[in-house]
Amino acid sequence: MGVYLVSVGAEEWFGEEEDGWGEVASALNAELRRRGLPPYEDVPPETDFAAGSGQAFEEKLTPSMTGFLALCETHLSQEESEILCGWTVLVPFSLDEEIWLPIDSGYHDSESTMVVGAPQVLPLAEKLAAAIELPPETPATCDNLDVSMWFREQAKELATTRTGLWVTDLDAAFYVALFLRAAQHSIRRGCPIVCT
C-alpha cells in the first residue's frame, strides 16, 4: 500500500462516496467563507491518462524521509517545514495560514486534515531545490510515478558525473523534487493534491 500524493479531479473532490473528498471540500468552503474568502469551486475535471502530458499527478512516498527532514531543519524554520511537508491537502490558491479541518484524513495518524496553499509551498520547495542544486533533468511532470522512476534509475547514473548536494542523498533529493513538482502541478492545473 503506502502513502501517495495524487491529484484529484472535480468528480472525486466533490464526490460524496466513501473514497471521495466531498466532506473535505464542503468543510474547506465553509471555512473559506468564514474567513471572507471565495469558495474553491473551480476544480478541473479528471482527464484521461496520457503519459508525460502533465494532466495528472501521482507519486508514492517510498524512500526514507530522514535526510529530507534534516535538510528542512537546516534550511527552513519549523513552521516552514510543517507547511512544506505536513499537509494532507494542497490547494492551488494562496492561504495566509494553514487550515485545519476536523475530519479524519487517514494520514499522519491524525483526526484532522491540514490544508495549505501551493503558492506557500512552492517557494519553500524552490529554496531547498536551490540549496541542493536539484538537476534540471528532474522530470517536470508526475503523471505516473515519473519522479520516483527517475530517481530509481537515471538519477543514480547522473549522480556519477555531477556535483551538488543532491548527489549525496538521493532520497532527500527525491522529496525536494516531489514537493516542488506537487506545488507546481497544483498551481498549473488549478487542482488539489491529496495525501492518500
Side-chain angles (χ1 to χ4, degrees):
M1 291 293 291
V3 177
Y4 287 82
L5 296 189
V6 295
S7 56
V8 176
E11 301 84 353
E12 191 179 345
W13 180 248
F14 296 112
E16 294 300 327
E17 60 277 357
E18 194 177 324
D19 59 348
W21 288 83
E23 187 181 3
V24 169
S26 296
L28 174 61
N29 281 344
E31 181 58 23
L32 290 171
R33 285 189 191 95
R34 193 186 70 74
R35 295 180 182 203
L37 298 169
Y40 176 39
E41 294 174 339
D42 193 21
V43 180
E46 207 164 307
T47 58
D48 291 334
F49 176 75
S53 69
Q55 297 300 298
F57 188 99
E58 180 183 356
E59 289 291 342
K60 187 175 183 181
L61 281 65
T62 307
S64 165
M65 291 188 87
T66 305
F68 174 68
L69 295 175
L71 189 68
C72 289
E73 274 183 33
T74 302
H75 295 280
L76 304 174
S77 69
Q78 186 174 344
E79 184 184 345
E80 288 173 330
S81 294
E82 286 171 11
I83 290 169
L84 176 64
C85 48
W87 52 268
T88 317
V89 176
L90 187 67
V91 291
F93 51 88
S94 279
L95 292 171
D96 288 342
E97 59 183 5
E98 67 271 21
I99 293 177
W100 288 94
L101 303 174
I103 298 169
D104 181 0
S105 65
Y107 178 60
H108 286 315
D109 295 325
S110 173
E111 292 179 2
S112 55
T113 293
M114 179 181 171
V115 182
V116 300
Q120 282 66 52
V121 168
L122 183 59
L124 303 176
E126 287 174 335
K127 184 176 181 179
L128 293 184
I132 66 169
E133 299 173 64
L134 189 70
E137 290 87 347
T138 306
T141 60
C142 305
D143 296 278
N144 186 22
L145 307 176
D146 296 335
V147 170
S148 299
M149 299 305 285
W150 189 82
F151 272 94
R152 202 172 296 154
E153 295 162 10
Q154 291 96 322
K156 290 177 182 174
E157 214 173 286
L158 191 64
T160 63
T161 60
R162 288 289 177 86
T163 57
L165 192 59
W166 76 277
V167 304
T168 63
D169 189 340
L170 291 181
D171 288 351
F174 163 77
Y175 283 107
V176 172
L178 176 75
F179 288 109
L180 176 66
R181 297 304 185 227
Q184 290 170 336
H185 181 90
S186 179
I187 292 167
R188 185 178 70 248
R189 287 276 294 139
C191 70
I193 292 181
V194 301
C195 289
T196 185

